[in-house]
Amino acid sequence: MTPQSLTLDNLLIEAEEQLLSFCLFNPDILVQTSICTEDLSIKHHRLIFGAMRKLWEQGTLPSFIPVIDYLTSKNQLQEVGGREAFARIMALPADLSITPWQDLEALIKKRALQRKLQEVGQKIQAIAHDPINTSAEALDKCQQLMLGIQNNTSDYKTLDPSAYSLELYDYLTNPPRQPLQFGSDYWDLDKHLGGITDGVTIVAGDTSMGKSHVLLWFSSLLMKRHKVPVLYVTPEMSRQQIGIRMLAHLSGVDSRSIAALRRDPNGPHWEKIAQATGEIAELPWYVNDHESPSFTLIEADIRKIVSRYGYIGGVVVDYLQQLPPVTGYQADSPQELGRRVQLLHNLARKYSCPIWVGCQINRSTVGTADKRPSKNMLRGSGEIAEKAENVLLLYRPGYHSKDPYDDTLEIIVEKARNGLTGTIKLTCDFRTSYIFGTKEL
């Protein structure tokens, strides 16, 4: 009896098919799982999973049709059972709240290790019965077999001196892309944040506090001042809506007047709008307005930008609660929100870029006299604050006092990994998403 037949049962087959189904409907799992192609027990499962991984590496969303096309191009579609096999997999329930994919991963990894152990056990038995080997040689060969399993199943490996020296030399001779750190042009903001650095910055506030204005200003700063490409992920607003805000920002014409031009083609400001439209055409601005952008889709966009420019200057996500679930927990639970921030942190670290993320605060807790927010008002505040480099809370005194002439925007720095906590007062034109400078406290 072979090692594979010893561990191949209906439970394992169902687990592998269910995981493949989850990956087709939720490609983010491909980024999160530690499963490799060899961990799957059946050949056609390995081919399907390998195709999804290959598409992801190429920057293509590994959904149903692309996987079919890829396998067809490799003459492997019939080998995996044709479209009928995919129909069976697609028919499986894809509700992560019922069966967490981590449970399937644990089972598949456990059975894969069992198969390796059984295979090594047979080899050790053959070594023990081989009269040619001395006792020392037999023991050494057996130890090498066991160490091979240990090295291949560890998430982290201890490098031997030669491999470590090569890695260190490569690190020293390949400096990170430049510029590594950006200035915001506002000394008070740079003093508190230590400049705009790689990592996740949470920009949180209640409705109408200016989250989208700050995120748009940040995008414009990177593109116009520092000439770097930016990915803007906006599941809340369409690309037309965010485009109008950018036109307002560049032209100085308020966004309501620009939107009204569709109803009045002969309206004023067309010259300024046309000039701003030309500016947008020259900006390295990439907008993703998918209503439910998965982390795989976001990373695919990042990879495309990196392939064109060699790096990415920054990513904006407006906003955190609009991203699709990545765990089996409730959509607004601390564990779910914390996991989303962790995945964004992983992307920031992998691609050495700042990622600014809008975040809604818990409105039911806004009960202070002056309505100023605090960190504990964040939904899932503990998980979010732990994983983010910076946490910024927004407050508009004029909004609560009903003063139309008060254009103050307060940025309350609750966490700054490379800077100082405190409050920054800025002047902001909320009609054009333009921040003018720092006010005296």
Side-chain angles (χ1 to χ4, degrees):
M1 185 175 290
T2 65
Q4 179 165 322
S5 62
L6 286 171
T7 57
L8 189 59
D9 54 37
N10 290 334
L11 180 62
L12 178 60
I13 295 172
E14 291 173 0
E16 291 183 1
E17 289 182 343
Q18 185 67 73
L19 182 70
L20 292 174
S21 175
F22 282 165
C23 289
L24 286 171
F25 285 105
N26 304 274
D28 294 318
I29 295 174
L30 289 170
V31 183
Q32 304 168 44
T33 184
S34 62
I35 286 179
C36 60
T37 304
E38 293 73 22
D39 289 334
L40 300 176
S41 62
I42 300 177
K43 182 179 179 181
H44 66 264
H45 290 172
R46 293 195 292 270
L47 291 174
I48 295 173
F49 189 79
M52 288 191 283
R53 272 286 173 85
K54 191 67 176 179
L55 289 169
W56 175 76
E57 291 171 1
Q58 295 173 352
T60 302
L61 189 66
S63 55
F64 178 73
I65 297 299
V67 174
I68 289 284
D69 292 342
Y70 179 87
L71 291 172
T72 301
S73 69
K74 300 294 182 180
N75 296 320
Q76 295 175 340
L77 184 58
Q78 295 307 315
E79 195 172 351
V80 303
R83 293 178 178 270
E84 294 78 12
F86 276 89
R88 184 175 65 255
I89 292 174
M90 295 287 285
L92 295 173
D95 189 348
L96 291 170
S97 63
I98 298 176
T99 307
W101 66 265
Q102 292 89 343
D103 293 349
L104 303 175
E105 177 188 62
L107 173 61
I108 294 170
K109 296 288 287 187
K110 178 181 178 181
R111 295 300 177 86
L113 178 60
Q114 288 176 344
R115 291 196 302 274
K116 292 175 184 176
L117 289 172
Q118 290 165 348
E119 182 180 352
V120 166
Q122 292 181 352
K123 291 181 179 179
I124 289 176
Q125 188 176 19
I127 292 171
H129 289 86
D130 189 343
I132 299 179
N133 295 319
T134 64
S135 297
E137 290 173 340
L139 182 60
D140 181 67
K141 290 180 179 179
C142 293
Q143 287 176 336
Q144 292 298 324
L145 288 170
M146 293 304 298
L147 285 172
I149 290 183
Q150 186 176 10
N151 288 336
N152 290 330
T153 55
S154 298
D155 291 332
Y156 299 97
K157 299 179 181 179
T158 301
L159 300 177
D160 59 58
S162 60
Y164 177 62
S165 64
L166 288 173
E167 182 188 79
L168 185 59
Y169 179 79
D170 182 66
Y171 173 79
L172 293 173
T173 55
N174 290 278
R177 55 97 177 150
Q178 295 294 331
L180 181 62
Q181 181 171 338
F182 305 112
S184 70
D185 292 341
Y186 302 121
W187 69 270
D188 206 8
L189 188 60
D190 288 339
K191 181 185 74 173
H192 282 81
L193 298 185
I196 297 173
T197 57
D198 300 344
V200 174
T201 295
I202 298 296
V203 180
D206 200 355
T207 303
S208 300
M209 287 299 103
K211 296 186 295 294
S212 296
H213 296 288
V214 171
L215 295 175
L216 193 71
W217 162 80
F218 169 69
S219 302
S220 175
L221 173 72
L222 292 184
M223 293 184 294
K224 295 188 66 181
R225 177 71 172 81
H226 299 290
K227 312 298 182 184
V228 296
V230 172
L231 172 64
Y232 201 104
V233 183
T234 170
E236 183 183 29
M237 292 188 286
S238 68
R239 66 180 63 196
Q240 290 78 19
Q241 290 173 316
I242 198 67
I244 288 175
R245 289 200 176 190
M246 180 58 82
L247 284 174
H249 180 76
L250 296 175
S251 67
V253 179
D254 70 89
S255 55
R256 290 186 179 180
S257 297
I258 296 175
L261 291 176
R262 294 192 69 194
R263 298 186 297 272
D264 182 14
N266 298 318
H269 311 304
W270 266 116
E271 184 176 348
K272 292 182 178 180
I273 301 303
Q275 183 177 351
T277 303
E279 287 187 53
I280 289 180
E282 300 297 325
L283 291 177
W285 195 36
Y286 297 84
V287 179
N288 178 340
D289 66 345
H290 193 286
E291 61 183 11
S292 184
S294 67
F295 284 90
T296 303
L297 182 59
I298 293 173
E299 182 165 12
D301 284 342
I302 294 174
R303 290 168 67 91
K304 290 176 183 177
I305 295 172
V306 171
S307 67
R308 178 171 181 178
Y309 295 91
Y311 67 96
I312 183 167
V315 178
V316 169
V317 178
D318 188 12
Y319 58 93
L320 182 66
Q321 282 82 1
Q322 290 286 345
L323 296 177
V326 293
T327 68
Y329 297 101
Q330 291 184 348
D332 59 350
S333 68
Q335 297 90 340
E336 170 63 36
L337 296 177
R339 182 57 180 163
R340 295 181 202 176
V341 176
Q342 179 64 59
L343 292 176
L344 291 170
H345 172 82
N346 294 345
L347 289 177
R349 183 176 179 181
K350 181 176 181 179
Y351 294 98
S352 300
C353 69
I355 299 181
W356 281 38
V357 186
C359 183
Q360 184 71 36
I361 67 171
N362 193 339
R363 300 173 189 173
S364 63
T365 61
V366 183
T368 58
D370 59 2
K371 306 298 182 182
R372 277 180 172 79
S374 61
K375 187 170 60 177
N376 64 351
M377 294 178 183
L378 282 172
R379 293 176 179 173
S381 57
E383 298 285 338
I384 292 174
E386 177 185 354
K387 295 174 172 62
E389 275 68 31
N390 306 305
V391 176
L392 313 180
L393 304 178
L394 306 184
Y395 173 69
R396 290 175 57 187
Y399 178 82
H400 293 290
S401 66
K402 309 298 183 183
D403 182 356
Y405 300 104
D406 189 349
D407 55 4
T408 303
L409 172 65
E410 292 187 14
I411 297 182
I412 303 168
V413 183
E414 281 279 357
K415 177 183 178 181
R417 186 157 292 173
N418 299 312
L420 306 170
T421 58
T423 299
I424 306 162
K425 287 190 176 182
L426 302 171
T427 302
C428 181
D429 184 350
F430 295 99
R431 300 171 304 165
T432 62
S433 304
Y434 204 93
I435 295 176
F436 291 98
T438 308
K439 282 188 170 183
E440 293 296 330
L441 290 175

